[in-house]
Amino acid sequence: MLKKVLIANRGEIAVRIIRACSEAGIRSVAIFTEPDRYALHAKRADESYSLGDDPLAGYLDPLRLVNLAVETGCDAIHPGYGFLSENANFAQLCEQKGIVFIGPKSSVIHKMGDKTQARDSMRAAGIPITPGSEGNLADLEEALSLAGKIGYPVMIKATSGGGGRGIRRCDTPEELKNQYPRVISEATKAFGSAEVFLEKCIVDPCHIEVQILADSQGNVIHLFERDCSIQRRNQKLIEIAPSPQLTPEQRQYIGNLAVKAAKAVGYENAGTVEFLLSGNEVYFMEMNTRVQVEHTITEQITGVDIVREQLRIAAGLPLSFRQEDIHFRGFAMQFRINAEDPKNDFLPSFGRITHYYAPGGPGVRVDTAIYTGYEIPPYFDSMCLKLVVWALTWEEMIARGRRAIDDMRLHGIKTTSNYYQEILKHPDFVKGQFNTGFVPAHPELLNYSVKRHPSDIALVLAAAIAAHVGR
Ligand code: ADP
Ligand code: ADP
Ligand code: MG
């Protein structure tokens, strides 16, 4: 097994990886930039190193991180998600310096991180993809002519895009003319690449993705699917495993399709194959070559510790399971509790958490790096807590979700949690019928009134006094 791992990330995912290392008897090395000096990941790891004052530069410096791993005697680097996790150069640098990159080979990251190359590979492997570009678009003329052929609506997408950015729907040639330069400029700014491609827009599909695990001996298994259709602006808000909307036949088909996709590109380690489902049609959308934010719900229904498996695979060990060993039980749902104000167009709401009380009880899991008194820095992602609930049945899971959100106290910042309560009450959601059009179709769910528990004021005051006295 690995002996010492550098975690090239921050926040809840860094803490999640430190926990897996700790359980596996692996020493963990955290990195932080000065705004994160009091962050939980920096405190919880066995060792931690400052990477300077700039909030972001240190987390995004491949050479510095690989050198640090070498200097501190690490065998491996875990990149988490975001940051350098899908940076093929970073993985390659690790390979060159004799550090194990906990993920697939750099050549596979390179291929799958580029959405048009990924489409090419999938087309060649016989995996259904959305109708659209072969390769990147040369210019607007080509975009218009292709859109005319496949029919509107279409999507223009950044080839190196991620995190729901760099994607625009166009319903008419006029919209395509307007949006084309916008996506190019957004892609250039956000991803450092001006390349874009076009595909058919599947109207109101379900986002279904499959978790896969692959070892260095060529064994590939899937851990069933997640339904991530509850999205706002192409960004996931609530994720569910398994999908309540698949027949057993669809589940088997899509699981096998993901394994086939992974095998076709020589995939290794944990990864996710994302699909769009419309009626009985399934289309490959992209592959994420890293651990995902919502790996938690798959862990809850299958009992498999995905990060532990990542560490084992990176050490060259075979998978702990065969496909026939993997079963799922019940339903799990994750709420991405973001530091945002839903009533103000989801504007980020950074600041000091004056009081935090974690929900608990049966079937409740919280993955976060926040604590009472923690100041959420404005430089990073607004997701501040992942609340995961599990129950034997769909109905119990929804009731548990409501109860767990009700349990939680998080004061000092605005969050998305009250909005999620409204989604949980909606009859279609309760029936398990929703697609990626759900959030835009229900703006009325933003008209909730924020209820205050009478005890909240007292709790906040007590926390404020405790924090003051403690200083
Ligand atoms: P997941 O695919 O795990 O559901 P998200 O799409 O929400 O996760 O992305 C997780 C994090 O990674 C977010 O902070 C997001 O902004 C970031 N991210 C994802 N893809 C990219 C990319 N290509 N470039 C930069 N950041 C990215
Ligand atoms: P990212 O890398 O940012 O995660 P994806 O390609 O996975 O980008 O797309 C993000 C989301 O955008 C999907 O979950 C889906 O809701 C929507 N989307 C992307 N492509 C299409 C499409 N062709 N038709 C309809 N919706 C799409
Ligand atoms: Mg995606």
Side-chain angles (χ1 to χ4, degrees), residues 12-139:
E12 69 83 21
I13 194 65
V15 174
R16 168 72 187 88
I17 298 161
I18 292 167
R19 285 174 172 156
C21 287
S22 163
E23 289 179 22
I26 298 171
R27 218 175 145 74
S28 55
V29 176
I31 52 159
F32 63 91
T33 61
E34 281 310 310
D36 268 345
R37 179 162 282 276
Y38 299 101
L40 191 59
H41 75 280
K43 299 289 167 204
R44 180 66 180 82
D46 295 318
E47 295 170 28
S48 56
Y49 296 91
S50 171
L51 295 175
D53 291 335
D54 188 277
L56 277 164
Y59 292 121
L60 296 171
D61 187 339
L63 188 58
R64 196 152 169 217
L65 295 177
V66 180
N67 284 340
L68 183 64
V70 173
E71 283 159 26
T72 54
C74 290
D75 331 289
I77 293 185
H78 196 308
Y81 55 71
F83 289 143
L84 297 173
S85 61
E86 291 179 281
N87 184 311
N89 294 334
F90 183 46
Q92 195 178 19
L93 206 55
C94 289
E95 288 159 12
Q96 286 163 358
K97 302 236 175 183
I99 296 287
V100 179
F101 177 81
I102 303 179
K105 298 256 170 322
S106 60
S107 55
V108 175
I109 299 180
H110 186 75
K111 199 189 292 177
M112 299 313 268
D114 179 303
K115 291 188 184 186
T116 55
Q117 275 197 49
R119 282 167 61 83
D120 290 345
S121 305
M122 293 301 116
R123 195 186 289 113
I127 308 284
I129 57 174
T130 42
S133 311
E134 295 187 23
N136 295 312
L137 288 169
D139 50 29

Side-chain angles (χ1 to χ4, degrees), residues 186-342:
E186 198 174 322
T188 313
K189 268 188 230 135
F191 313 112
S193 153
E195 287 175 336
V196 297
F197 68 103
L198 184 144
E199 65 182 26
K200 187 157 185 65
C201 174
I202 310 301
V203 179
D204 293 343
C206 289
H207 172 120
I208 305 288
E209 58 181 40
V210 179
Q211 175 72 55
I212 63 119
L213 289 175
D215 65 20
S216 55
Q217 282 101 67
N219 302 305
V220 185
I221 62 171
H222 70 80
L223 303 183
F224 298 100
E225 82 285 356
R226 300 184 281 256
D227 188 324
C228 310
S229 304
I230 302 294
Q231 305 182 351
R232 175 178 174 272
R233 299 194 179 161
N234 309 318
Q235 291 171 346
K236 298 160 187 168
L237 297 177
I238 300 176
E239 298 108 338
I240 295 153
S243 172
Q245 322 199 60
L246 291 192
T247 63
E249 292 72 31
Q250 286 176 319
R251 172 164 299 121
Q252 198 183 1
Y253 173 72
I254 210 163
N256 291 339
L257 212 51
V259 169
K260 188 173 162 189
K263 282 189 174 158
V265 295
Y267 199 80
E268 195 179 316
N269 217 289
T272 298
V273 189
E274 296 191 334
F275 298 95
L276 292 176
L277 176 76
S278 174
N280 214 17
E281 295 295 317
V282 177
Y283 305 95
F284 167 87
M285 186 164 48
E286 66 157 343
M287 178 164 196
N288 290 317
T289 57
R290 53 174 168 85
V291 70
Q292 267 187 297
V293 175
E294 60 275 19
H295 73 281
T296 54
I297 52 178
T298 300
E299 294 186 325
Q300 296 314 112
I301 62 163
T302 62
V304 176
D305 181 332
I306 292 171
V307 181
R308 176 176 185 271
E309 286 304 312
Q310 287 196 289
L311 297 169
R312 286 177 48 91
I313 293 165
L317 296 168
L319 290 178
S320 311
F321 311 91
R322 292 164 304 170
Q323 188 66 60
E324 54 268 36
D325 300 328
I326 306 293
H327 304 282
F328 65 87
R329 191 160 179 251
F331 281 96
M333 171 162 62
Q334 170 175 281
F335 304 97
R336 294 193 189 197
I337 312 268
N338 297 335
E340 294 169 359
D341 181 3

Side-chain angles (χ1 to χ4, degrees), residues 296-465:
T296 54
I297 52 178
T298 300
E299 294 186 325
Q300 296 314 112
I301 62 163
T302 62
V304 176
D305 181 332
I306 292 171
V307 181
R308 176 176 185 271
E309 286 304 312
Q310 287 196 289
L311 297 169
R312 286 177 48 91
I313 293 165
L317 296 168
L319 290 178
S320 311
F321 311 91
R322 292 164 304 170
Q323 188 66 60
E324 54 268 36
D325 300 328
I326 306 293
H327 304 282
F328 65 87
R329 191 160 179 251
F331 281 96
M333 171 162 62
Q334 170 175 281
F335 304 97
R336 294 193 189 197
I337 312 268
N338 297 335
E340 294 169 359
D341 181 3
K343 287 186 170 295
N344 196 358
D345 202 27
F346 291 79
L347 194 75
S349 170
F350 301 113
R352 190 173 148 85
I353 294 172
T354 52
H355 185 79
Y356 166 59
Y357 171 81
V364 175
R365 164 177 175 176
V366 177
D367 280 30
T368 186
I370 66 161
Y371 48 83
T372 296
Y374 178 67
E375 177 124 14
I376 300 184
Y379 316 107
F380 311 105
D381 212 76
S382 58
M383 190 183 73
C384 67
L385 186 145
K386 303 194 307 203
L387 173 55
V388 179
V389 294
W390 174 89
L392 270 178
T393 66
W394 175 258
E395 292 74 23
E396 281 174 88
M397 178 192 69
I398 292 195
R400 189 160 278 168
R402 289 187 190 146
R403 187 275 293 171
I405 294 178
D406 236 11
D407 267 0
M408 184 172 72
R409 294 291 181 279
L410 212 174
H411 297 296
I413 55 164
K414 300 251 179 12
T415 77
T416 45
S417 63
N418 288 310
Y419 173 55
Y420 295 155
Q421 286 290 32
E422 300 306 306
I423 294 179
L424 288 180
K425 283 186 217 152
H426 194 280
D428 291 342
F429 186 85
V430 171
K431 273 187 270 171
Q433 290 168 0
F434 44 81
N435 54 43
T436 59
F438 180 90
V439 166
H442 296 292
E444 78 281 3
L445 298 181
L446 289 164
N447 298 332
Y448 56 88
S449 54
V450 183
K451 68 170 184 224
R452 279 218 150 202
H453 298 261
S455 55
D456 281 354
I457 307 282
L459 280 174
V460 173
L461 284 175
I465 292 165

